[in-house]
Amino acid sequence: NAGVTQTPKFRILKIGQSMTLQCAQDMNHNYMYWYRQDPGMGLKLIYYSVGAGITDKGEVPNGYNVSRSTTEDFPLRLELAAPSQTSVYFCASSYEGSGYTFGSGTRLTVV
Amino acid sequence: DQQVKQNSPSLSVQEGRISILNCDYTNSMFDYFLWYKKYPAEGPTFLISISSIKDKNEDGRFTVFLNKSAKHLSLHIVPSQPGDSAVYFCAATRNQGGKLIFGQGTELSVKP
């Protein structure tokens, strides 16, 4: 039972490039989330989804997009990478909002 | 607007002693509070939680206290062990199933 799997673990992007951070869970959780963690700032919610086909903005959605075509997958898209998006990104899932399970994170550097 | 605040970025404690991590919140609508533990290069893992109808919840060496009037909660670890060295995040939500709002984290170091 893999839980929440995030790929890649590390990535360096140039300013203006785009990329997709992948997140998959195998626990049949209906809720999924993307957080970013910046030093001294804790985890900030970027986007979340309460089920396939439903997504909503969190605290810091600007510069990101998400989609939820299946229960298992919740990719996060960066269209025009900026240095301010340098961060560690965590995907999480839960059943009805209870019992969050986090992935191990993607460390992204934009140069 | 930081709705959940952990004002101590770091804490150092001797093995065997008590560790006390503090957390304050501003939103009186929060009714469920959680503590997560995070090791380097790993995602946060759930540690303990408390509902606003309680003022204390205990699980082994870990106890969380909630003071609703002060909008303050604390995590006590007794006795502290070197393996407890990690970053601890406080989180809050409404209706238990709502989105989690996290504090900034406190890095605990337990020295042998």
Side-chain angles (χ1 to χ4, degrees), chain A residues 86-98:
Chain A
T86 293
S87 189
V88 181
Y89 291 84
F90 289 100
C91 178
S93 70
S94 73
Y95 182 72
E96 301 286 317
S98 292

Side-chain angles (χ1 to χ4, degrees), chain A residues 35 42 44 48 90 100 103, chain B residues 2 36 38 43 99-100 103-104:
Chain A
Y35 284 87
K44 297 289 188 185
Y48 67 101
F90 289 100
Y100 278 48
Chain B
Q2 190 76 28
Y36 281 79
K38 183 185 178 304
K99 305 182 294 292
L100 289 183
Q104 304 98 311

